[in-house]
Amino acid sequence: MKFGPVYLCCLFMLLSVHAGGQQPPPGWEEWTSQTYTLAAGESMPFRVDWDQIPVRRWLLLVEGDLQVSYLNLRRERDRSLVYDLRDESRHMVEIPWGEGESITGLLRAERAGAYAISLWGPPRDNYLRAYSYGVNRALEALEEDDRVGARAHLLTALQDDPADVVAQTLMLGLDGRRRLDAVDRAALDGEADPDALRHLDAVRERAAELRGEGLYLAAADTLHQTIAPQLGAAGVALIYADLADLYLDLGNPVQAQAALAAAESLGLAEDTASRLRKRLADEAE
C-alpha cells in the first residue's frame, strides 16, 4: 500500500494484517498491526489518533527483521518531538496518551524490505479509563505517591482546559490532603467540638443534596472547606468517606482510594469502610 503526502487520520483503524515476526512486549496486548514493503530510501508518513487506542499510554512497535529504518514521531498538539532514531531494525516507543491526542510519524526504509508497524496497549477487556493527557500523567504520579508531580501535571491540564472537570476534582483532592496534613494530628486525637460536629452534620447534608443534583465538584468543595481539627479524627474521617463516594461518582478510583485510605487511618467505622471497599472493587470490574 502506498501513502500519499496527506496523513491518513484513520490509518490504523483500517489495518488488520498481523505481522508474524513481531514479538509482543510483556504485559501488553496487540491492538492492531500491518506489514508494508518499502523500497530502499522510501518514506511513509502515518498518523495515530486517540480514537484508535483510547488508553493512558501505549507502545508503538516497528520491526524490519534484518532491515534497518529511520523513525520520527511528533506529538500533533504542540509538535514536540517524541522519538527520532535511525539505523534500527526494531523501534519500540512508549507513548504517553490522552483524550484528543494524535501523533504523526515518518518511517523511512534504509534498506528495501518488509516493515511491520503495530500498536500495543493494555488488554482490551481490562484497561483503566483514560482522560486528558495531563490528568493521565497526574494519575500515574499519584499511583507513585508523587503528589508534587501530580499537582504540576494538573496545573498543566487546567492551563490547557480550565473546564477539565476531572483535573479540577483531582486538584481539590490534593488541596484537601494538604489541608489534612496541615491539621495537628494531636488535636485530631483529642475531643471534638460538639458545635463543630453539629455544623459538620449540616455540611454533609448540603453536600449530599449537591451530589443528588449531580453537582459533584460543588459537593467536594463544600466538604474540603470544612476540614478542621475541631472535628476530631472521627469527623474528618466522615468527610473523607463522603469524598471517596464523590470521586467514584466522577470515575476517579485512584483518588477515591486515597480518600478511603485517609478515612480509614482516622478510624472510619468498619461498615462504612466495607461499603466503600466494595464499591471500589465493583468499579474496577
Side-chain angles (χ1 to χ4, degrees):
M1 179 184 295
K2 289 275 190 177
F3 285 84
V6 178
Y7 291 131
L8 304 180
C9 65
C10 295
L11 170 69
F12 282 98
M13 296 181 70
L14 302 176
L15 307 183
S16 61
V17 178
H18 177 73
Q22 291 169 295
Q23 297 299 315
W28 299 79
E29 178 180 293
E30 184 183 277
W31 281 55
T32 189
S33 67
Q34 176 69 33
T35 299
Y36 301 94
T37 301
L38 302 178
E42 183 178 3
S43 296
M44 185 184 74
F46 62 91
R47 174 173 172 144
V48 182
D49 293 312
W50 156 258
D51 289 343
Q52 297 159 236
I53 184 162
V55 299
R56 295 182 185 180
R57 63 174 56 235
W58 53 278
L59 293 175
L60 175 69
L61 182 62
V62 177
E63 292 184 299
D65 196 9
L66 298 179
Q67 292 77 237
V68 296
S69 63
Y70 164 69
L71 179 65
N72 175 280
L73 300 172
R74 289 188 179 274
R75 186 179 179 219
E76 182 69 10
R77 184 183 297 273
D78 58 9
R79 301 304 299 160
S80 59
L81 184 65
V82 176
Y83 181 88
D84 187 84
L85 203 61
R86 65 184 69 249
D87 296 330
E88 295 289 327
S89 61
R90 190 173 195 259
H91 303 271
M92 186 166 68
V93 190
E94 191 164 343
I95 309 291
W97 206 232
E99 290 178 331
E101 289 292 310
S102 299
I103 62 165
T104 53
L106 179 71
L107 174 65
R108 185 174 67 235
E110 303 295 344
R111 301 177 186 175
Y115 294 86
I117 302 178
S118 57
L119 309 185
W120 298 80
R124 287 175 179 268
D125 59 354
N126 184 30
Y127 62 90
L128 296 172
R129 180 176 176 182
Y131 304 96
S132 68
Y133 183 93
V135 167
N136 291 339
R137 306 292 73 76
L139 289 169
E140 291 173 343
L142 285 171
E143 290 172 355
E144 298 295 325
D145 201 26
D146 177 8
R147 293 182 172 273
V148 174
R151 186 174 181 81
H153 288 303
L154 291 174
L155 287 172
T156 300
L158 290 170
Q159 287 176 349
D160 291 341
D161 180 9
D164 188 326
V165 173
V166 180
Q168 292 172 358
T169 303
L170 287 171
M171 186 66 82
L172 284 172
L174 288 174
D175 288 343
R177 179 58 179 268
R178 286 209 317 277
R179 194 184 298 260
L180 176 62
D181 291 342
V183 171
D184 187 331
R185 294 304 294 261
L188 284 180
D189 292 336
E191 291 293 326
D193 183 334
D195 289 337
L197 290 177
R198 281 191 290 272
H199 177 64
L200 175 61
D201 289 339
V203 168
R204 292 183 70 210
E205 287 180 10
R206 177 56 182 155
E209 291 173 0
L210 292 169
R211 181 186 176 198
E213 296 170 9
L215 301 174
Y216 303 125
L217 282 174
D221 193 36
T222 298
L223 291 167
H224 279 303
Q225 293 183 34
T226 309
I227 295 173
Q230 291 79 11
L231 295 173
V236 176
L238 290 174
I239 292 177
Y240 272 84
D242 290 348
L243 286 169
D245 269 323
L246 283 166
Y247 293 138
L248 285 171
D249 290 340
L250 285 160
N252 298 327
V254 171
Q255 200 66 10
Q257 181 63 62
L260 175 56
E264 289 185 291
S265 72
L266 294 169
L268 182 66
E270 178 56 32
D271 58 343
T272 303
S274 177
R275 177 186 65 78
L276 287 169
R277 285 195 295 267
K278 182 179 185 305
R279 191 176 174 204
L280 273 165
D282 290 344
E283 292 289 333
E285 293 180 354

